[in-house]
Amino acid sequence: MTPEEEEIQKRTQALQSAETALVQAEADYAEYRLQLKAFEQAYILAVQDEQWAIEKWESLIAQQLSRIQFLLAVQDGLEPCPSSPYVSFAVENMTPSSSTEDLDLDEPIISEVETSSEIKSLYRELARRYHPDLAENPEVRKQRASVMQEINTAYQQRDLDALQQISNRPSIVDPINDSLGDQLVWIIRREAEVGLLVQAAIDKLAASKSSPLGELMSYCANRTEENRFVDVKRALNCQAQQLREEWGFHCQHECDLWQAIL
């Protein structure tokens, strides 16, 4: 066995280990997401009454603030004074947002002709790299056929980004026709690509665990099903009570304004 063949064998084993790690990392992430989804559903059912109370008081507070804003405008002479506190009045939004604010007027206009030409050029390049008829090994032909299908779909949809992403992938080499050097380069590139995918799966799992829902699930993990949301429900009830007190404060403020106006 030549030194080049020994290096290929060594790199192939490393690639297989990386691919195994990728499968495991993606499986761990998928399993955690299932657990998180089940926990989220249980959480929503457990605290729906408390959440409803919070939303109710938040809505009432918003109404009171609108009434107070109107009365302040009346006090400043900007609005006519209602004849009675029992007369309904509407508070109009005086500063409606304009839909044109979201438009980016400086966004460059890309020529459709130039884009179409780039797509055609990239498609021809990718076809030469991945066309299955250019390989003799059956397994390589199968792999290239799968990628070629992606290329054709992207070309039909005029999706330049998708074609560029495919272009960044390592080529699928044919062991029959490609030299040992080409095989070694492909294995090294593929190992690096798989390593990035493993890290991406690990990062996604870590991000899910550090999310508010993930931290809550971790906090409740060692509790029984009956007691795991006790602290959360207590905190939500306290929040609802605080909102109720805030609503009462705004009601009193409105009464004071009416006394000053009438």
Side-chain angles (χ1 to χ4, degrees), residues 136-155:
E136 296 183 13
N137 184 280
E139 182 60 29
V140 173
R141 288 169 64 92
K142 181 178 178 181
Q143 295 176 20
R144 288 188 178 183
S146 177
V147 177
M148 197 64 211
Q149 185 175 2
E150 293 181 51
I151 295 171
N152 288 331
T153 300
Y155 180 72

Side-chain angles (χ1 to χ4, degrees), residues 59-98:
S59 176
L60 290 172
I61 288 172
Q63 293 176 29
Q64 285 302 126
L65 290 175
S66 295
R67 295 171 68 88
I68 289 171
Q69 183 179 5
F70 177 83
L71 293 176
L72 290 173
V74 171
Q75 196 175 51
D76 293 337
L78 301 176
E79 294 286 350
C81 180
S83 59
S84 167
Y86 303 103
V87 176
S88 299
F89 56 86
V91 179
E92 298 181 356
N93 183 5
M94 302 302 294
T95 56
S97 60
S98 173

Side-chain angles (χ1 to χ4, degrees), residues 19-77:
E19 290 174 340
T20 300
L22 176 60
V23 171
Q24 184 62 49
E26 291 181 340
D28 290 344
Y29 175 69
E31 176 63 24
Y32 184 81
R33 294 298 299 177
L34 288 174
Q35 295 175 7
L36 199 62
K37 186 64 177 179
F39 176 82
E40 181 182 24
Q41 294 173 348
Y43 170 78
I44 292 173
L45 289 175
V47 302
Q48 57 185 353
D49 291 341
E50 289 77 11
Q51 289 287 5
W52 178 85
I54 289 173
E55 291 173 4
K56 179 190 72 173
W57 292 117
E58 286 178 341
S59 176
L60 290 172
I61 288 172
Q63 293 176 29
Q64 285 302 126
L65 290 175
S66 295
R67 295 171 68 88
I68 289 171
Q69 183 179 5
F70 177 83
L71 293 176
L72 290 173
V74 171
Q75 196 175 51
D76 293 337

Side-chain angles (χ1 to χ4, degrees), residues 46-254:
V47 302
Q48 57 185 353
D49 291 341
E50 289 77 11
Q51 289 287 5
W52 178 85
I54 289 173
E55 291 173 4
K56 179 190 72 173
W57 292 117
E58 286 178 341
S59 176
L60 290 172
I61 288 172
Q63 293 176 29
Q64 285 302 126
L65 290 175
S66 295
R67 295 171 68 88
I68 289 171
Q69 183 179 5
F70 177 83
L71 293 176
L72 290 173
V74 171
Q75 196 175 51
D76 293 337
L78 301 176
E79 294 286 350
C81 180
S83 59
S84 167
Y86 303 103
V87 176
S88 299
F89 56 86
V91 179
E92 298 181 356
N93 183 5
M94 302 302 294
T95 56
S97 60
S98 173
S99 59
T100 60
E101 292 179 356
D102 296 329
L103 297 178
D104 185 2
L105 301 180
D106 295 327
E107 183 177 356
I109 301 176
I110 301 175
S111 169
E112 293 184 4
V113 175
E114 293 177 358
T115 302
S116 178
S117 176
E118 186 175 359
I119 288 174
K120 290 180 180 179
S121 176
L122 187 55
Y123 172 80
R124 287 193 291 266
E125 177 188 339
L126 292 173
R128 286 193 295 268
R129 284 175 54 187
Y130 290 103
H131 202 291
D133 292 342
L134 300 179
E136 296 183 13
N137 184 280
E139 182 60 29
V140 173
R141 288 169 64 92
K142 181 178 178 181
Q143 295 176 20
R144 288 188 178 183
S146 177
V147 177
M148 197 64 211
Q149 185 175 2
E150 293 181 51
I151 295 171
N152 288 331
T153 300
Y155 180 72
Q156 292 169 5
Q157 296 176 351
R158 296 297 187 266
D159 191 342
L160 179 59
D161 289 339
L163 290 174
Q164 289 174 337
Q165 290 176 11
I166 296 173
S167 178
N168 292 330
R169 300 180 191 176
S171 302
I172 302 176
V173 298
D174 190 339
I176 294 178
N177 292 330
D178 293 322
S179 66
L180 292 178
D182 290 335
Q183 294 179 46
L184 181 58
V185 169
W186 179 86
I187 292 172
I188 293 173
R189 292 182 62 185
R190 178 58 182 167
E191 183 184 355
E193 181 185 34
V194 173
L196 292 176
L197 294 174
V198 171
Q199 188 58 52
I202 293 174
D203 291 343
K204 288 192 298 184
L205 179 59
S208 293
K209 289 184 175 180
S210 61
S211 67
L213 187 61
E215 291 181 347
L216 180 60
M217 186 171 74
S218 177
Y219 174 78
C220 299
N222 297 325
R223 298 181 174 229
T224 62
E225 186 173 351
E226 296 79 10
N227 297 323
R228 61 178 173 173
F229 295 123
V230 170
D231 292 343
V232 177
K233 290 167 71 72
R234 184 183 298 113
L236 292 176
N237 280 322
C238 289
Q239 183 179 349
Q241 180 60 33
Q242 291 173 356
L243 290 171
R244 180 179 179 179
E245 294 173 358
E246 181 181 347
W247 172 77
F249 170 80
H250 293 310
C251 287
Q252 183 61 50
H253 188 191
E254 182 188 359

